[in-house]
Amino acid sequence: NAGVTQTPKFRILKIGQSMTLQCAQDMNHNYMYWYRQDPGMGLKLIYYSVGAGITDKGEVPNGYNVSRSTTEDFPLRLELAAPSQTSVYFCASSYSKDRGTDTQYFGPGTRLTVL
Amino acid sequence: AQKITQTQPGMFVQEKEAVTLDCTYDTSDPSYGLFWYKQPSSGEMIFLIYQGSYDQQNATEGRYSLNFQKARKSANLVISASQLGDSAMYFCAMREGPISNFGNEKLTFGTGTRLTIIP
């Protein structure tokens, strides 16, 4: 299993451009999440999804949109990129029945710079 | 008030010594979960250990153990016999509410502790 995969690994955007960060998991997890990590800080939740077709806002959703058409994929859309969105973005998934816990497993991250 | 507080921005520890990373939390929910993650310089987030609020015993995973003091609302990570590869950022995180309730899976993270192991 590949676990949680994210593409791209790095991206530089100009102010006002749009892009989609891709996230996929092959663990059949119901729950998926998007976090951002600013320099020297912990992670903050942007959006999450409890299943295909169901999404909800996290702590810092402004400037982002998500969709969840399949169990495996959870893309994050940035519209009109701003310098404040320069960050490292992590996708995660959870609900592993084997462990009996809701441990979240993270992808490798996407480093985004908006200039 | 901060839900997760990690008061040690950085720590330096001699190789092979034990190290304790502090984490205190704030919640009024009787059901919650506490997690520790490791973030090496490569950037990925690696799950280390989990403690449920109703677990009777402290969690252990190899060299990692969690010193869970419920009355003090603390969940310190203990790493025994530290190794050079333990140098990384360590994050404490909390889920509020029971696992079974939809929407309770969100994690709140602390600001992290940067651990450096000295040879």
Side-chain angles (χ1 to χ4, degrees):
Chain A
N1 286 351
V4 180
T5 57
Q6 292 182 239
T7 56
K9 290 186 178 180
F10 304 94
R11 184 71 184 269
I12 298 175
L13 284 181
K14 293 182 179 179
I15 295 172
Q17 287 185 319
S18 300
M19 77 163 294
T20 298
L21 281 67
Q22 301 292 344
C23 174
Q25 54 91 10
D26 61 0
M27 297 175 282
N28 201 31
H29 285 173
N30 285 359
Y31 310 143
M32 296 187 73
Y33 315 80
W34 274 105
Y35 294 89
R36 59 177 287 172
Q37 184 181 27
D38 298 330
M41 302 296 289
L43 279 68
K44 293 188 177 180
L45 184 66
I46 305 171
Y47 270 96
Y48 68 100
S49 169
V50 299
I54 306 170
T55 63
D56 205 350
K57 296 178 180 178
E59 184 182 357
V60 289
N62 291 344
Y64 307 94
N65 277 301
V66 294
S67 59
R68 183 95 180 272
S69 57
T70 67
T71 300
E72 294 78 19
D73 301 299
F74 190 40
L76 177 72
R77 178 80 177 165
L78 278 72
E79 305 282 1
L80 298 175
S84 61
Q85 293 178 305
T86 294
S87 190
V88 179
Y89 291 83
F90 288 97
C91 178
S93 70
S94 71
Y95 195 53
S96 172
K97 294 180 180 179
D98 293 336
R99 289 190 65 88
T101 73
D102 56 343
T103 300
Q104 293 186 20
Y105 294 92
F106 286 78
T110 294
R111 186 175 296 275
L112 176 68
T113 302
V114 182
L115 300 174
Chain B
Q2 293 288 332
K3 287 187 177 292
I4 294 288
T5 302
Q6 295 181 253
T7 57
Q8 306 152 310
M11 288 187 69
F12 290 85
V13 173
Q14 203 74 35
E15 188 179 7
K16 299 182 183 177
E17 289 185 350
V19 56
T20 298
L21 305 180
D22 295 340
C23 172
T24 58
Y25 59 91
D26 181 27
T27 181
S28 58
D29 202 309
S31 179
Y32 52 89
L34 297 158
F35 302 78
W36 277 92
Y37 285 87
K38 173 184 179 181
Q39 187 177 43
S41 57
S42 52
E44 71 268 33
M45 295 288 287
I46 303 168
F47 166 72
L48 296 178
I49 196 166
Y50 167 82
Q51 179 86 41
S53 59
Y54 293 120
D55 292 344
Q56 294 296 314
Q57 293 185 329
N58 287 348
T60 60
E61 290 280 357
R63 292 187 300 113
Y64 304 108
S65 61
L66 201 152
N67 184 2
F68 182 45
Q69 298 188 41
K70 198 169 183 176
R72 294 185 176 184
K73 293 188 174 180
S74 75
N76 298 341
L77 176 70
V78 180
I79 305 174
S80 63
S82 58
Q83 302 171 356
L84 295 178
D86 294 332
S87 293
M89 282 288 287
Y90 288 81
F91 291 97
C92 180
M94 176 175 65
R95 178 209 75 239
E96 292 183 271
I99 295 174
S100 58
N101 287 7
F102 284 143
N104 282 348
E105 301 75 17
K106 304 185 295 292
L107 291 181
T108 301
F109 283 80
T111 52
T113 295
R114 182 171 297 281
L115 176 65
T116 302
I117 306 300
I118 304 167

